[in-house]
Amino acid sequence: MSRTVSTSTPTATGPVRLGPQARAALRPTAGPTVTAGFWAERRLANARVSIPQGPELLESAGNLHNLRLVAGAEEGAFEGHYPFVDSDVYKWLEAASWQLAQGDGDTGALAAEVERIIALVAQAQEEDGYLNTWFQTGKGEGRYSDLRWGHELYCAGHLIQAAVAHHRATGGGQLLAVARRFADHIDSVFGPEHSGRPIDGFDGHPEVETALVELYRETGEQRYLDLAGYFVDRHGHGLHGNEAYCQDRVPLREAETVEGHAVRQLYLLAAAADLATETGEAALTEASERLWHAMATTKTHLTGGVGAHHDKEDFGDPYELPNERAYCETCAAIASIQFSWRLALLTGRARYSDLIERTLFNGFLAGVSLDGETWLYVNPLQVRDGYVDAGGDQSSRRTRWFRCACCPPNVMRLLASLEHYLSSTDGNGLQLHQYASGRFSGDAAGAPAVVSVNTDYPRDGRIRVTVEQSPGQPWTLSLRIPEWCDRYSLRHGGSGDPVAEAVAAEGWLRVERTWAPGDELVLELDLTPRLVVADPRVDAVRGCAAIERGPLVYCLEQADHPGGGLDDVSIDPAVPLTVKERPDLLGGVVTVLAAGNRSTPPPTASGWWPYRARPEAQSDSPAPAPDGGTAIELTAIPYYAWANRSSGAMRVWLPTD
Amino acid sequence: MSRTVSTSTPTATGPVRLGPQARAALRPTAGPTVTAGFWAERRLANARVSIPQGPELLESAGNLHNLRLVAGAEEGAFEGHYPFVDSDVYKWLEAASWQLAQGDGDTGALAAEVERIIALVAQAQEEDGYLNTWFQTGKGEGRYSDLRWGHELYCAGHLIQAAVAHHRATGGGQLLAVARRFADHIDSVFGPEHSGRPIDGFDGHPEVETALVELYRETGEQRYLDLAGYFVDRHGHGLHGNEAYCQDRVPLREAETVEGHAVRQLYLLAAAADLATETGEAALTEASERLWHAMATTKTHLTGGVGAHHDKEDFGDPYELPNERAYCETCAAIASIQFSWRLALLTGRARYSDLIERTLFNGFLAGVSLDGETWLYVNPLQVRDGYVDAGGDQSSRRTRWFRCACCPPNVMRLLASLEHYLSSTDGNGLQLHQYASGRFSGDAAGAPAVVSVNTDYPRDGRIRVTVEQSPGQPWTLSLRIPEWCDRYSLRHGGSGDPVAEAVAAEGWLRVERTWAPGDELVLELDLTPRLVVADPRVDAVRGCAAIERGPLVYCLEQADHPGGGLDDVSIDPAVPLTVKERPDLLGGVVTVLAAGNRSTPPPTASGWWPYRARPEAQSDSPAPAPDGGTAIELTAIPYYAWANRSSGAMRVWLPTD
């Protein structure tokens, strides 16, 4: 399923670059761009609002103060609640670096901020390479005294990712030098017992593993890859008491399902897929795909979000997918996308990009407000009429910044590097995994194959692909047909004739021919809205349906349904759904309208007990019927756009009875 | 709705005794006994196993060591994880005291253990009355430095409750003296700003409030009642940052629903009902009844258990009642019973004892194993096929003892004093709230009215009540007709004739006559098993029904359903339920048999995505149908008896589709 490909393709500049020996079906290419349309709008808020505000927020929260403290540039005490606050700085640096590569926005000011903060990070580093302001300021019991919760290697991982991003995006080497010194220090401290290194252990929160693989890819240093492999291998042998939370219950190659802390699990799996790609180890590839399958089939919410327990931020049991208590941490959606993308490259399978699409447009994107100013941590699928906001990071209301601020800069870095998740090459052409207006290039036996894409997807289903550059020999353009899509057409741009040579295979529609610049294809994905239901084992949504249109999951929001709450609303599935374009609403959305009903639940016999004998079962004591209810028109909006107006109830799953 | 009653009734010896000025519709009486049947069996395990093992477990967990440490009788460091570990000792002392009053079991050995531990508690007390081993051993930042989490007054409350129990049950005064010294100390430290006392505050975990009311009742000291009132009044004014967890979001008299940490909320409400009873304050009575109503109608699981969030042990939003993540802490069930009982006495309303019955037989009793040796903390309503036991106190598997061991001794004290929740007097006779074989007495205008009850309830619905002692004048025997009961009869014991003068009114069946010793009535409650459904706003159980028989909620357990799990099982509601007595099973239960089906969910088109287009909505792309499934007989057992065999899946709510 995986094969060695030519390494003569243009060098990728995104967050995943494969090593020279990598055995992957696909590989990223240099210079994809997103120029207009849906994602360009989202990225604009990221570039103009979210990222520029980062330094100020990191200043307010104390993150930069902590670095100055350690650098000796300021007096005072450590600020912040967690040992991993440095990682917020690193994730912002990574985001800003990818943003600098875009050249969008006020690049000069941003570049200056990046340089200023990189200099601060460099100043804070110890002589021996160690860097963690929590422990350096005397919090905790000393270096590596608490691998379960100390997050030192987790922070190192984000430092490395930021350094790689900065180096790839700008060519600058200062942060990369800092990261290498820390990586070298870690490599001198951690290793198997026989290695003679002082500590045989791993960080309770994976992240350094996948970062070390990327550092290997950036520098060519094999020992970073080896160190990543060592850390992955040590999981599941009891070094953290076999705790699922720390991904220590079972060795990864033996695991049957995803479990424990969702972000920890998925960062570890991203590293496993990276290692499988670089080493070609079949067992690791199989485990990665097996665990992805277990996640997708039994532990993923409709939005692509993952996580079922607030307690320990845990995946939960199979088919345990609560709505109001969904714990779809934005970071877990990002981790899922990272894991899926690595499997997409490794195997070439379309399903991984299917899940990326669903997660990007729903579970991920809901994590940031339309204006890029406020955030959601848990992304529930329901807010009840009687919801009481107890505040805190896990609130179902948007927040300016979190005490545990992992999600906001994570969103920033993904949005700033989004174009790298959209296309790939297999050495014989170009694969379009996601549809966005822009320019994408592949490799056709060593020569560039370049197309431009024009689309208003996902508001509209028409995707126009124009060949911009093509070598003389045939190559294959592959278009992903999304899992949700039952009806589509592919036609020639000029004539409108069907593309006779298109071959559909396992989620891909492939067209091989000798292309000429100006050749144009039009893919039309049918966006008729649809009702979906869940596997009956998902108890939380029995008797309910959800509205989807294209890749978008829809929801009802209180703001569109005055005159009552949403707890007593149902949908009539017999009446066809209709769409209404609302360019004025929520940045421009297509709403879906449905026939609904609002009814008052039947009174109970006692007046106080909400359970009653099942009517059919007790024919001699008929229970009171509910009132006929009031017919109402339901207006559904895309889930990603919820919580951008007044607070109130929201629900994705609608009773159909 | 409340009225002043005579105080000439025999003095109650149970955990609730009303003060001389109390304005209550009902009051407890002295000397109820449970002699045989269901509860006698459960109490035997408590008396023979749970309570006798207490000291050994408190020794292993370090609780007694901490007391010896403070008493100067031992060297070492504080053991245990929480500042409230002393309360485990006090709750055990309370349980043992009530048990001594029973005279059941090896009273001599138990009495000696009680005396030994009381002496230890007395030795650990400071000169000024303060007592808390966590702070006395130097943990934390000093006395009353952390009222939110320090639990000092919470522990004091349990000390007081134990002291009152010991005094009432044995007449011994040593522990009462310790408790009074501590209460006097607290009274000298806490008070409103104008009082000149150093601290204006309250404990984040209520408990001392209701204990102080009981101390007032035991000693006649008005200032204990006043102090309780002060503490209750200070909730909801921001002293704990208006945090719902600490019951500080809103003043109790203004609250519209129960919220925050369930046990904290209900201990506070028990105190509010106590204060309303003693002071006659209408606003407090109204708030107590209003909040009970909000709890019962929108936040109570079918089992009577309360709590919807593992995170912060929170009540959750209205109708948010998850099954697998129910957080029905055993202590919350006990707190609910305590609150309901106080309202039952205050108002005389049957509904409060309705909820007590449901909670006792289900949500409470599931908290202890049949043999009295192991415990459940959270009492879920579902355990999935793929459940992974991560261990810890919140496991869905029984545990020998908890790190946070609040529940086990709480169960012990309730079971040891259970008979006090079964009957009452209104000064004109006797009310039987719950049905158990034993002897119960009321007050008929100053003279004792005594009956014996014989029943195998809830296995059997026949309850035989025989008058043992009666004054010459008429008095009223009131029998509660449970909320679940649609059909019942009341007949004379000898002739079998209907009791013509019985008057049904708001949950009570009242018979007023001039009774003579030997008079016998037979109440027959129809125990035909039934299927129940929930208010449609309880999303978690849409399309499901649960089996009940009498007051018992039933569940399916893996052990009775070999050949597959329970996630794919449904019930056929059209086939009548049948019962099968199983004296051999789980200490003797009546099982309920139902027609069921086990089916394989339909395959998904993709092979990996568990959501699909709703079949009816997309007639041109019919979804695959589920297989016909396999008809199976379902065997339901009482919920209280689950988790007493091999581990495996369990579920209360069964899909009916």
Side-chain angles (χ1 to χ4, degrees):
Chain A
M1 126 193 14
S2 64
R3 60 197 173 84
T4 307
V5 293
S6 156
T7 61
S8 63
T9 50
T11 304
T13 55
V16 178
R17 166 191 276 179
L18 306 190
Q21 304 302 321
R23 296 167 183 83
L26 310 176
R27 55 174 52 225
T29 59
T33 59
V34 173
T35 52
F38 184 89
W39 285 114
E41 293 163 26
R42 298 296 93 230
R43 286 161 62 103
L44 204 61
N46 193 50
R48 298 275 168 86
V49 179
S50 306
I51 291 176
Q53 292 184 355
E56 183 188 327
L57 290 159
L58 293 168
E59 195 61 74
S60 304
N63 307 61
L64 300 179
H65 159 80
N66 294 334
L67 287 164
R68 289 195 295 269
L69 208 59
V70 169
E74 202 161 287
E75 299 288 309
F78 182 91
E79 289 178 16
H81 299 275
Y82 299 107
F84 49 80
V85 295
D86 293 351
S87 64
D88 301 338
V89 178
Y90 305 146
K91 278 191 278 189
W92 181 85
L93 280 174
E94 183 184 343
S97 296
W98 298 130
Q99 188 57 43
L100 286 176
Q102 306 285 331
D104 182 46
D106 184 354
T107 304
L110 185 62
E113 280 294 78
V114 166
E115 294 310 313
R116 176 177 75 90
I117 294 174
I118 286 177
L120 191 53
V121 170
Q123 274 182 278
Q125 186 169 39
E126 303 278 340
E127 283 293 316
D128 65 359
Y130 182 88
L131 176 49
N132 183 292
T133 64
W134 173 272
F135 289 97
Q136 285 172 288
T137 57
K139 306 277 281 186
E141 307 290 321
R143 284 185 187 190
Y144 310 125
S145 60
D146 182 10
L147 290 174
R148 179 183 177 280
W149 183 244
H151 285 84
E152 290 150 293
L153 304 188
Y154 167 87
C155 289
H158 280 299
L159 170 62
I160 292 167
Q161 298 274 23
V164 166
H166 187 251
H167 187 248
R168 280 188 199 154
T170 71
Q174 190 186 6
L175 194 60
L176 188 63
V178 173
R180 290 190 69 159
R181 276 203 299 278
F182 199 175
D184 293 344
H185 165 75
I186 293 167
D187 192 36
S188 75
V189 171
F190 287 86
E193 281 191 277
H194 62 75
S195 70
R197 293 172 195 175
I199 303 177
D200 180 22
F202 62 89
D203 196 294
H205 199 316
E207 165 60 26
V208 75
E209 296 82 358
T210 194
L212 284 166
V213 175
E214 215 59 42
L215 188 60
Y216 151 75
R217 290 162 172 170
E218 195 65 12
T219 64
E221 283 270 11
Q222 175 73 27
R223 63 204 167 84
Y224 297 140
L225 185 67
D226 296 341
L227 185 59
Y230 157 74
F231 283 136
V232 168
D233 292 349
R234 294 305 280 136
H235 285 77
H237 299 283
L239 290 175
H240 286 300
N242 290 113
E243 201 183 358
Y245 180 74
C246 294
Q247 301 300 319
D248 193 37
R249 203 179 65 82
V250 64
L252 191 144
R253 290 170 185 80
E254 298 167 21
E256 293 297 330
T257 188
V258 290
E259 64 177 25
H261 187 288
V263 178
R264 292 171 182 232
Q265 171 74 88
L266 291 171
Y267 281 177
L268 179 63
L269 284 170
D274 272 334
L275 284 162
T277 303
E278 295 300 335
T279 66
E281 186 195 327
L284 212 45
T285 301
E286 283 159 23
S288 299
E289 289 207 84
R290 181 173 69 243
L291 293 170
W292 185 94
H293 185 84
M295 173 181 77
T297 54
T298 71
K299 298 191 179 183
T300 303
H301 293 265
L302 188 66
T303 56
V306 291
H309 294 184
H310 280 238
D311 188 43
K312 296 186 182 165
E313 314 191 291
D314 194 281
F315 258 112
D317 292 328
Y319 303 107
E320 184 193 344
L321 294 162
N323 291 309
E324 67 273 61
R325 294 295 279 176
Y327 195 86
C328 295
E329 184 181 344
T330 307
C331 286
I334 293 167
S336 169
I337 290 167
Q338 293 176 337
F339 176 39
S340 290
W341 181 240
R342 283 158 175 78
L343 285 179
L345 295 176
L346 176 59
T347 68
R349 290 188 172 191
R351 60 180 55 178
Y352 299 117
S353 294
D354 282 331
L355 185 59
I356 287 174
E357 178 177 59
R358 182 170 286 272
T359 309
L360 271 177
F361 278 112
N362 303 287
F364 160 74
L365 191 56
V368 57
S369 65
L370 294 174
D371 62 10
E373 291 238 355
T374 56
W375 311 89
L376 279 178
Y377 195 113
V378 299
N379 303 293
L381 276 73
Q382 179 179 15
V383 177
R384 290 181 173 275
D385 293 340
Y387 174 73
V388 173
D389 185 8
D393 292 356
Q394 282 78 39
S395 167
S396 290
R397 306 293 181 218
R398 292 197 184 277
T399 305
R400 186 75 183 90
W401 201 245
F402 300 121
R403 199 161 96 146
C404 172
C406 50
C407 300
N410 221 352
V411 172
M412 295 178 206
R413 70 182 181 130
L414 182 60
L415 277 176
S417 60
L418 181 72
E419 70 275 20
H420 297 281
Y421 295 89
L422 308 185
S423 66
S424 66
T425 184
D426 62 358
N428 184 37
L430 170 65
Q431 299 82 43
L432 294 180
H433 297 251
Q434 311 295 340
Y435 299 111
S437 290
R439 198 160 181 277
F440 304 93
S441 66
D443 168 58
V450 182
V451 304
S452 64
V453 175
N454 284 286
T455 182
D456 196 26
Y457 187 80
R459 294 183 194 109
D460 186 75
R462 180 165 302 178
I463 297 138
R464 192 177 297 269
V465 183
T466 309
V467 175
E468 300 279 338
Q469 195 178 339
S470 177
Q473 76 279 17
W475 54 273
T476 303
L477 175 67
S478 299
L479 305 169
R480 187 178 58 84
I481 304 303
E483 175 276 332
W484 54 262
C485 182
D486 283 335
R487 282 182 289 263
Y488 64 89
S489 66
L490 184 68
R491 297 175 186 276
H492 290 286
S495 66
D497 294 337
V499 179
E501 66 268 49
V503 178
E506 296 187 346
W508 290 108
L509 190 61
R510 302 192 194 273
V511 186
E512 181 177 15
R513 53 181 289 194
T514 304
W515 302 88
D519 282 354
E520 191 173 272
L521 297 185
V522 179
L523 175 66
E524 182 89 39
L525 302 176
D526 180 2
L527 298 191
T528 304
R530 59 196 183 274
L531 286 178
V532 298
V533 297
D535 183 293
R537 287 166 291 192
V538 184
D539 293 287
V541 301
R542 191 180 309 288
C544 293
I547 296 170
E548 293 186 343
R549 178 176 179 267
L552 298 180
V553 175
Y554 276 65
C555 66
L556 303 188
E557 209 178 20
Q558 184 66 70
D560 299 307
H561 301 87
L566 296 181
D567 279 7
D568 55 358
V569 159
S570 61
I571 186 171
D572 181 349
V575 178
L577 304 170
T578 58
V579 299
K580 185 173 180 183
E581 295 202 31
R582 291 288 303 277
D584 57 306
L585 187 67
L586 295 165
V589 296
V590 177
T591 58
V592 176
L593 309 181
N597 194 64
R598 171 174 283 142
S599 59
T600 307
T604 53
S606 67
W608 60 271
W609 187 238
Y611 307 93
R612 60 190 168 88
R614 190 170 191 274
E616 298 88 328
Q618 303 244 332
S619 57
D620 54 344
S621 75
D627 66 17
T630 310
I632 58 170
E633 185 179 67
L634 305 179
T635 299
I637 61 164
Y639 174 76
Y640 75 79
W642 86 280
N644 280 283
R645 294 177 288 179
S646 55
S647 66
M650 181 276 291
R651 64 187 305 159
V652 168
W653 289 97
L654 311 173
T656 52
D657 48 16
Chain B
M1 124 196 16
S2 63
R3 58 197 174 84
T4 307
V5 295
S6 154
T7 62
S8 64
T9 50
T11 303
T13 55
V16 179
R17 168 192 276 179
L18 305 190
Q21 305 301 323
R23 296 166 182 84
L26 310 176
R27 54 174 52 225
T29 59
T33 59
V34 172
T35 52
F38 184 88
W39 286 114
E41 292 162 27
R42 297 297 92 230
R43 285 161 62 101
L44 204 62
N46 194 49
R48 299 276 167 85
V49 179
S50 305
I51 292 176
Q53 293 183 355
E56 183 188 327
L57 290 158
L58 293 168
E59 195 61 75
S60 305
N63 307 61
L64 300 179
H65 158 80
N66 293 334
L67 288 165
R68 287 193 298 268
L69 207 60
V70 168
E74 203 162 288
E75 299 288 310
F78 182 91
E79 289 179 14
H81 299 274
Y82 300 107
F84 49 80
V85 296
D86 294 351
S87 65
D88 300 338
V89 178
Y90 304 146
K91 279 192 276 190
W92 181 84
L93 279 174
E94 184 184 342
S97 296
W98 297 130
Q99 189 57 42
L100 287 176
Q102 306 285 331
D104 182 46
D106 184 354
T107 305
L110 184 62
E113 280 294 79
V114 166
E115 293 311 312
R116 175 176 76 89
I117 293 172
I118 286 177
L120 190 54
V121 170
Q123 274 183 279
Q125 188 169 37
E126 302 279 339
E127 282 295 314
D128 66 358
Y130 182 87
L131 176 48
N132 182 293
T133 64
W134 172 274
F135 289 97
Q136 285 172 286
T137 56
K139 306 277 280 187
E141 307 290 323
R143 284 185 188 191
Y144 310 126
S145 60
D146 181 11
L147 289 174
R148 180 183 176 279
W149 183 242
H151 285 84
E152 288 149 293
L153 305 189
Y154 168 86
C155 289
H158 279 299
L159 170 62
I160 293 167
Q161 298 274 24
V164 167
H166 187 250
H167 187 247
R168 279 188 199 153
T170 71
Q174 191 187 5
L175 194 60
L176 188 63
V178 172
R180 290 191 68 159
R181 276 202 300 277
F182 199 175
D184 293 344
H185 165 75
I186 293 167
D187 192 36
S188 74
V189 171
F190 287 86
E193 281 191 278
H194 61 76
S195 70
R197 294 174 194 176
I199 304 178
D200 181 21
F202 62 89
D203 196 294
H205 198 316
E207 165 59 27
V208 75
E209 296 82 358
T210 194
L212 283 167
V213 176
E214 214 58 44
L215 187 61
Y216 151 75
R217 289 162 173 170
E218 194 66 13
T219 64
E221 284 269 15
Q222 176 73 27
R223 62 202 169 85
Y224 298 141
L225 185 67
D226 296 342
L227 186 59
Y230 157 74
F231 283 135
V232 167
D233 292 349
R234 293 305 281 136
H235 285 78
H237 299 282
L239 291 175
H240 286 301
N242 290 114
E243 199 184 359
Y245 180 73
C246 295
Q247 301 300 317
D248 193 36
R249 202 179 65 84
V250 65
L252 191 142
R253 290 170 185 81
E254 299 168 20
E256 292 297 329
T257 188
V258 290
E259 64 177 28
H261 188 287
V263 177
R264 292 172 182 232
Q265 171 73 88
L266 292 171
Y267 281 177
L268 179 64
L269 284 171
D274 272 334
L275 283 161
T277 303
E278 295 299 335
T279 66
E281 185 195 328
L284 212 44
T285 301
E286 283 159 23
S288 300
E289 287 206 86
R290 179 174 70 244
L291 293 170
W292 185 94
H293 186 82
M295 172 181 79
T297 55
T298 70
K299 298 191 180 184
T300 303
H301 293 265
L302 188 66
T303 56
V306 290
H309 295 184
H310 280 238
D311 188 42
K312 296 187 182 164
E313 315 191 291
D314 193 281
F315 258 112
D317 292 328
Y319 303 107
E320 184 193 344
L321 294 162
N323 292 311
E324 67 274 62
R325 294 294 281 176
Y327 195 84
C328 295
E329 184 182 343
T330 308
C331 285
I334 293 167
S336 169
I337 291 167
Q338 293 177 339
F339 176 39
S340 291
W341 181 239
R342 283 158 175 79
L343 285 179
L345 296 176
L346 176 59
T347 69
R349 290 189 171 188
R351 62 180 55 179
Y352 300 117
S353 294
D354 281 332
L355 186 58
I356 288 175
E357 177 177 59
R358 183 170 286 274
T359 309
L360 271 178
F361 278 112
N362 303 287
F364 160 73
L365 192 55
V368 56
S369 64
L370 294 174
D371 62 12
E373 292 237 355
T374 56
W375 311 89
L376 278 178
Y377 195 114
V378 298
N379 303 293
L381 275 74
Q382 179 179 15
V383 177
R384 289 183 173 274
D385 293 340
Y387 174 73
V388 173
D389 184 7
D393 292 357
Q394 281 79 36
S395 168
S396 289
R397 307 292 182 218
R398 293 197 183 276
T399 304
R400 185 76 183 88
W401 201 246
F402 300 120
R403 201 161 95 145
C404 172
C406 50
C407 300
N410 222 352
V411 171
M412 294 178 206
R413 71 183 182 130
L414 182 59
L415 278 176
S417 60
L418 181 73
E419 68 276 18
H420 297 281
Y421 296 89
L422 309 184
S423 66
S424 67
T425 184
D426 62 359
N428 184 36
L430 171 66
Q431 299 82 43
L432 294 179
H433 297 251
Q434 310 295 340
Y435 298 112
S437 291
R439 199 161 180 275
F440 304 93
S441 66
D443 167 58
V450 183
V451 305
S452 65
V453 175
N454 284 285
T455 183
D456 196 28
Y457 187 81
R459 292 183 196 109
D460 186 74
R462 179 164 303 177
I463 297 139
R464 192 177 297 268
V465 183
T466 309
V467 176
E468 299 281 338
Q469 196 177 336
S470 177
Q473 76 279 16
W475 55 273
T476 302
L477 176 67
S478 299
L479 305 169
R480 187 178 60 84
I481 304 301
E483 176 275 335
W484 55 261
C485 182
D486 283 334
R487 283 182 288 261
Y488 64 89
S489 66
L490 185 67
R491 297 174 184 276
H492 291 286
S495 66
D497 294 338
V499 178
E501 65 268 48
V503 177
E506 295 188 348
W508 290 109
L509 191 60
R510 301 192 195 275
V511 186
E512 181 177 18
R513 52 180 292 193
T514 304
W515 301 89
D519 282 355
E520 192 174 274
L521 298 183
V522 178
L523 175 66
E524 183 89 38
L525 303 176
D526 182 1
L527 298 190
T528 304
R530 59 195 183 275
L531 286 178
V532 297
V533 296
D535 184 292
R537 288 167 291 192
V538 184
D539 294 287
V541 302
R542 192 180 309 288
C544 292
I547 297 170
E548 293 186 343
R549 178 175 178 269
L552 298 179
V553 175
Y554 276 65
C555 66
L556 303 188
E557 209 178 19
Q558 184 65 70
D560 300 308
H561 301 87
L566 296 181
D567 278 7
D568 54 359
V569 160
S570 61
I571 187 171
D572 182 348
V575 178
L577 304 170
T578 58
V579 299
K580 185 173 181 184
E581 296 202 30
R582 291 289 302 275
D584 56 307
L585 186 69
L586 296 164
V589 295
V590 177
T591 58
V592 176
L593 309 182
N597 194 63
R598 171 173 284 142
S599 60
T600 306
T604 54
S606 67
W608 60 270
W609 187 238
Y611 308 92
R612 61 192 166 85
R614 190 169 191 275
E616 297 88 330
Q618 302 245 334
S619 56
D620 54 343
S621 76
D627 66 17
T630 310
I632 57 170
E633 185 179 66
L634 304 179
T635 299
I637 61 163
Y639 174 76
Y640 76 79
W642 86 281
N644 279 282
R645 294 178 287 181
S646 54
S647 67
M650 181 276 291
R651 64 188 304 161
V652 168
W653 289 97
L654 312 173
T656 53
D657 50 13

